[in-house]
Amino acid sequence: MSVEHGVWHAPGRVNLIGEHTDYNDGLVLPFALPQGITAEAARRDDGVLELHSGGQTEIVPLEGLRPGSVKGWAAYVAGVAGALGEAGHPVGGATLRFTSDLPAGSGLSSSAALECVTAVALNDMYDLGLSAKELVPVAQRAENAYAGVPTGVLDQSASLLCTAEHALLLDVRSGLSSQIPLELGGFRILIVDTNARHALGDGKYGERRAQCEEAARQLGVASLRDVKNLGEALSRLKDPVLRRRVKHVVTENHRVEATVGLLKAGAIAEVGALLNASHLSLRDDYEVSWPEADAAVEAAVRAGARGGRMVGGGFGGSVIILARADTLDTIREAITTRFTTSSWPTPDYLIATAAPGAHRLS
Ligand code: GLA
């Protein structure tokens, strides 16, 4: 049954492990956060999107909407309407008022949350009957084509498909996913927003993607997911940069599998070592980390954390730290002190819990 108006919510995400694997047909293991974007929405029949966020208003006529025709944050929203139309589900107008408790640029997927909250609201208001899984490519198309950011499918999958108290194991190649219970016991996952800001659109993300595609081409495989023997693949690549990129992607997929094995075995503490390995791989082989992230992970581990790593695309944003609940105060203090020493702004801290994916609130 279609609804005239309502309130919808879509979460941000933390990727526990499996970074820069999604566009290589690999494995990811995100969970959704309680924080996200809420939209108070109403249908309207004049073919216009009226968008409000943070004191700004954007009016977007749906007629003539095409990739590139809308600029700025409104492109993420209008892109969803555009992508629905392209997929054979045209929608009329809507008024959408967005509020967010997810800091933009923190690497916790505020843009995917914006797309996904729009997708679930339009899906319900226009009675499109699309499943959360069917909305994933719609939201991704909004980001890739309409906002012009060449991301993979990790963030939109997390925002739409995650469930409370679980991490989502997604195999991007097959599209199959399963819910893995995230039982932390006496441990916590601390998010450290390093307050160093990133822009995925600045080219470095696209450059990494292109390097992976070039390595796959040289190796004669469809994607780096098909590399079966790392040693053999590395010996065939002449360019040391491509060798490092391949090493990260192949080993990161194995770290996702190992993490799932440990979670199923109730061995959360041991996941820390895999987070550390992932961070070093992203820092040294994939070269997407940033000084504040390296310092935060290092300070946390020295202060007793089991492990930690940067999350998201890199070049700014957040870090996650796995630590015993009773060590968190010491760890936060150690990180803040480390930041003060370098005259960096104090980071922001958040304890991550696994929340449900996008849904209607009322
Ligand atoms: C960003 C992108 C995702 C993914 C990550 C890296 O968050 O939006 O698709 O590629 O970077 O894992």
Side-chain angles (χ1 to χ4, degrees):
M1 211 188 66
S2 64
V3 289
E4 289 295 314
H5 54 84
V7 182
W8 286 263
H9 173 84
R13 62 97 188 93
V14 148
N15 191 18
L16 185 57
I17 200 155
E19 219 67 89
H20 287 280
T21 48
D22 63 349
Y23 53 83
N24 288 298
D25 275 351
L27 304 171
V28 293
L29 190 64
F31 60 93
L33 295 170
Q35 292 77 14
I37 297 189
T38 299
E40 202 188 310
R43 273 176 68 149
R44 50 194 282 168
D45 55 16
D46 58 355
V48 163
L49 290 177
E50 181 187 321
L51 314 176
H52 302 271
S53 173
Q56 293 177 37
T57 299
E58 298 279 345
I59 305 289
V60 183
L62 289 170
E63 204 183 316
L65 174 65
R66 55 177 200 290
S69 66
V70 181
K71 306 283 175 230
W73 65 271
Y76 294 87
V77 182
V80 173
L84 281 170
E86 289 173 21
H89 306 286
V91 294
T95 299
L96 294 140
R97 289 173 200 284
F98 299 102
T99 48
S100 171
D101 56 358
L102 206 58
S106 58
L108 304 176
S109 284
S110 51
S111 55
L114 186 57
E115 293 145 15
C116 294
V117 77
T118 304
V120 288
L122 293 177
N123 188 38
D124 288 351
M125 289 195 296
Y126 283 93
D127 200 16
L128 303 178
L130 297 170
S131 66
K133 197 173 169 182
E134 288 169 322
L135 290 175
V136 172
V138 169
Q140 192 193 7
R141 169 120 183 112
E143 175 123 10
N144 293 169
Y146 287 81
V149 189
T151 55
V153 78
L154 162 67
D155 307 338
Q156 293 80 10
S157 302
S159 189
L160 286 161
L161 305 179
C162 281
T163 60
E165 289 163 38
H166 290 79
L168 176 84
L169 171 62
L170 172 67
D171 180 334
V172 176
R173 165 154 284 175
S174 68
L176 294 177
S177 62
S178 52
Q179 303 287 344
I180 310 294
L182 189 58
E183 280 157 18
L184 296 178
F187 286 81
R188 296 290 177 273
I189 294 170
L190 176 71
I191 300 175
V192 184
D193 180 355
T194 66
N195 282 320
R197 288 300 178 237
H198 68 177
L200 282 185
D202 74 355
K204 287 182 182 151
Y205 182 90
E207 182 189 270
R208 294 297 180 285
R209 277 192 84 140
Q211 289 166 337
C212 290
E213 281 158 23
E214 174 58 19
R217 197 191 61 76
Q218 290 186 20
L219 293 168
V221 292
S223 78
L224 295 183
R225 179 69 182 277
D226 297 314
V227 173
K228 296 290 174 247
N229 186 304
L230 180 61
E232 190 254 348
L234 296 182
S235 70
R236 285 173 51 207
L237 291 169
K238 288 198 179 59
D239 180 350
V241 174
L242 295 192
R243 281 205 293 269
R244 290 202 295 276
R245 305 299 187 248
V246 170
K247 189 166 152 232
H248 167 72
V249 173
V250 173
T251 58
E252 185 77 352
N253 279 325
H254 286 290
R255 283 186 286 271
V256 175
E257 285 178 332
T259 302
V260 170
L262 290 172
L263 287 177
K264 286 183 174 166
I268 182 73
E270 310 314 316
V271 169
L274 294 167
L275 300 183
N276 286 336
S278 172
H279 185 76
L280 293 182
S281 181
L282 288 158
R283 188 191 73 183
D284 301 338
D285 288 333
Y286 219 66
E287 296 172 287
V288 291
S289 189
W290 62 104
E292 290 89 338
D294 299 338
V297 170
E298 222 175 276
V301 171
R302 275 210 195 123
R306 295 301 300 232
R309 62 175 211 89
M310 54 152 281
V311 290
F315 309 108
S318 297
V319 155
I320 53 169
I321 302 294
L322 176 70
R324 287 199 60 83
D326 57 9
T327 61
L328 288 181
D329 284 344
T330 316
I331 288 166
R332 274 189 286 249
E333 214 181 292
I335 297 173
T336 302
T337 306
R338 175 66 187 79
F339 273 51
T340 310
T341 312
S342 288
S343 308
W344 294 326
T346 309
D348 291 313
Y349 301 101
L350 198 68
I351 307 274
T353 53
H359 58 283
R360 188 174 175 199
L361 292 176
S362 63

